[in-house]
Amino acid sequence: MGLEDRTSLTLLRAALTGRDSDDLIGRIFTCWFALDPEVRDLFPPDMTAQREVFGRVLGWLFDEFVAQRAEAPVAFLAQLGRDHRKYVATQQHYETMSHAIYATLAAELGDRFTPAVDDAAREAINLIAGVMSGAADADAGPAWWEGTVVETARVSRDLAVVRLMLDRPMNYLSGQYVNVSVPQVARRWRYLSPAIPANPEGRIEFHVRAVSGGMVSNAIVDETRAGDRWRLSNPHGSLEVDPEGGDVLMVAGSTGLAPLRAIIMDMCRYGENPRVHLFFGARYPCELYDLQTLWELAAQNPWLSVTPVSMFASDPPWAADYPDPTPPRGLHVRQTGLLPEVVTSYGGWGDRQILIAGNHAMIAATRAALIDKGAPPQQIQCDPV
């Protein structure tokens, strides 16, 4: 039955997402590097982040396979294949990756790796590798873009806004994200969402928050200077607003604002839009770094409402060292509390298109809170990575 065998696919998904899944993913990489030693040079010395993302993506794909959904996984894998051209990935790399995933799953499941499970594993892995490699081969566009940092602004203790001029324009869609490589940290890439719509001049802007242990994010926030040369991957992701799909709820945690702001700016080009209510959350009031821009957008577009939310009611002492983000009066009064709780205190939002962007924990908590309030899961958008 292969990809139609939900029982076998469920067993494979459990192996990839269970309690020992991190160890399993580590063994997949160990097997892969043994089969194809040159692949190791494509990855950084510390594989923690790569294992986490690889495992999360495989888990999401098998969730979709079990649910017998093909459209989203195929589109995502095609984008991933095009994106991996920046690593100069070859057909051999995809073949050895497939062998490594298959062999590790077979060893993990042992006697449970029946002929039916074998068939499902082969078809799922062949689909993953085949779509990625096929999309990469079919894409005639550039494998990556390069650009020069023209401006950086430290807007809070661990937040920075970075603006670049690309050597050639990138035709991304507002709400998508790209993988970024910076000169300070070799062979490490970080997903970032452009905070402005694509433009023919090649200008692009990113909002970056340094995270504990995050080498790329810390290098961007602390060390990026004008003149630095960045490399960017092909865009991927699918956050979007359907102009005919009814009113919209947007929930942004910290720099998760970037893709939603780009979508809102894109919508400003049109005379008529669905109503949009944006909740923008952060830990402290001073970390609501882009309220001035949101105030200006809301002042000119009556379909846009913005509610700022901070976890704490007042700022810490270090806030005095950074610009005050408070805009003139006009936005909704700032609310205090956890972002999912504040959002759902306004109602269930079941009649809205819902877009959520931020860190993984915030997305999961907000999504769960909205579903508990009655929002249909199929109306909630958030990118799998």
Side-chain angles (χ1 to χ4, degrees):
M1 294 175 64
L3 285 172
E4 296 179 359
D5 184 354
R6 299 179 71 173
T7 301
S8 294
L9 291 169
T10 299
L11 181 63
L12 293 165
R13 178 187 62 182
L16 290 164
T17 60
R19 183 174 55 186
D20 299 324
S21 59
D22 184 65
D23 178 67
L24 177 69
I25 298 301
R27 283 187 278 127
I28 289 174
F29 276 107
T30 299
C31 182
W32 190 11
F33 297 158
L35 289 169
D36 194 350
E38 73 175 33
V39 171
R40 186 64 185 90
D41 292 335
L42 302 179
F43 292 91
D46 181 2
M47 292 289 296
T48 303
Q50 281 68 28
R51 288 198 305 269
E52 180 184 354
V53 172
F54 191 78
R56 192 161 62 243
V57 168
L58 282 179
W60 177 78
L61 287 170
F62 274 84
D63 279 342
E64 296 295 289
F65 295 157
V66 169
Q68 298 293 286
R69 293 190 290 261
E71 184 177 350
V74 168
F76 175 75
L77 288 167
Q79 287 185 331
L80 206 59
R82 291 189 290 268
D83 177 64
H84 274 62
R85 292 188 303 146
K86 68 179 183 287
Y87 299 117
V88 198
T90 67
Q91 182 63 36
Q92 175 183 312
H93 296 155
Y94 286 110
E95 291 174 359
T96 53
M97 178 191 73
S98 299
H99 289 313
I101 297 173
Y102 174 84
T104 307
L105 284 171
E108 173 72 14
L109 294 174
D111 294 342
R112 293 178 292 166
F113 202 75
T114 63
V117 177
D118 182 305
D119 189 37
R122 287 183 186 274
E123 288 200 13
I125 294 167
N126 287 341
L127 174 66
I128 292 169
V131 172
M132 289 181 66
S133 62
D137 290 342
D139 194 336
W144 59 75
W145 278 256
E146 293 189 336
T148 302
V149 174
V150 294
E151 183 181 1
T152 66
R154 189 71 168 264
V155 294
S156 188
R157 184 171 62 172
D158 56 2
L159 293 166
V161 173
V162 183
R163 300 182 177 96
L164 294 92
M165 182 68 72
L166 300 180
D167 295 349
R168 52 186 163 185
M170 176 189 291
N171 292 320
Y172 59 87
L173 301 175
S174 295
Q176 290 190 304
Y177 54 88
V178 299
N179 226 355
V180 170
S181 174
V182 301
Q184 289 83 1
V185 188
R187 289 187 296 163
R188 292 179 184 269
W189 295 75
R190 168 73 185 265
Y191 287 113
L192 297 176
S193 294
I196 60 174
N199 58 85
E201 294 81 18
R203 296 189 303 273
I204 195 165
E205 177 180 313
F206 297 107
H207 300 170
V208 187
R209 180 175 180 175
V211 297
S212 178
M215 294 185 67
V216 177
S217 65
N218 280 276
I220 292 173
V221 172
D222 294 331
E223 302 173 29
T224 295
R225 300 291 183 268
D228 284 357
R229 297 282 292 172
W230 284 20
R231 178 173 289 185
L232 285 64
S233 75
N234 279 276
H236 46 163
S238 57
L239 285 179
E240 61 181 353
V241 168
D242 179 357
E244 306 298 328
D247 292 339
V248 182
L249 167 67
M250 294 184 177
V251 185
S254 187
T255 53
L257 176 67
L260 304 184
R261 191 185 87 153
I263 292 172
I264 289 169
M265 287 182 166
D266 212 23
M267 294 173 68
C268 292
R269 299 181 300 149
Y270 302 99
E272 294 186 8
N273 282 298
R275 291 182 301 163
V276 175
H277 195 136
L278 167 66
F279 288 84
F280 174 34
R283 294 172 300 183
Y284 301 104
C286 65
E287 293 181 324
L288 296 165
Y289 63 94
D290 208 32
L291 287 182
Q292 179 68 35
T293 301
L294 297 176
W295 175 81
E296 293 172 357
L297 291 171
Q300 298 175 34
N301 297 280
W303 46 264
L304 175 62
S305 299
V306 178
T307 298
V309 181
S310 64
M311 184 184 304
F312 301 103
S314 58
D315 286 328
W318 53 257
D321 297 334
Y322 300 96
D324 181 2
T326 307
R329 294 181 61 182
L331 294 178
H332 286 266
V333 174
R334 178 175 54 82
Q335 304 293 304
T336 303
L338 297 175
L339 188 55
E341 296 176 2
V342 173
V343 171
T344 52
S345 72
Y346 281 67
W349 304 98
D351 59 341
R352 304 293 180 105
Q353 302 180 68
I354 301 173
L355 283 70
I356 311 173
N359 65 47
H360 304 301
M362 169 267 172
I363 290 174
T366 304
R367 187 176 187 276
L370 286 166
I371 292 172
D372 285 346
K373 279 285 190 174
Q378 65 270 20
Q379 291 180 204
I380 302 175
Q381 298 181 51
C382 47
D383 279 309
V385 298

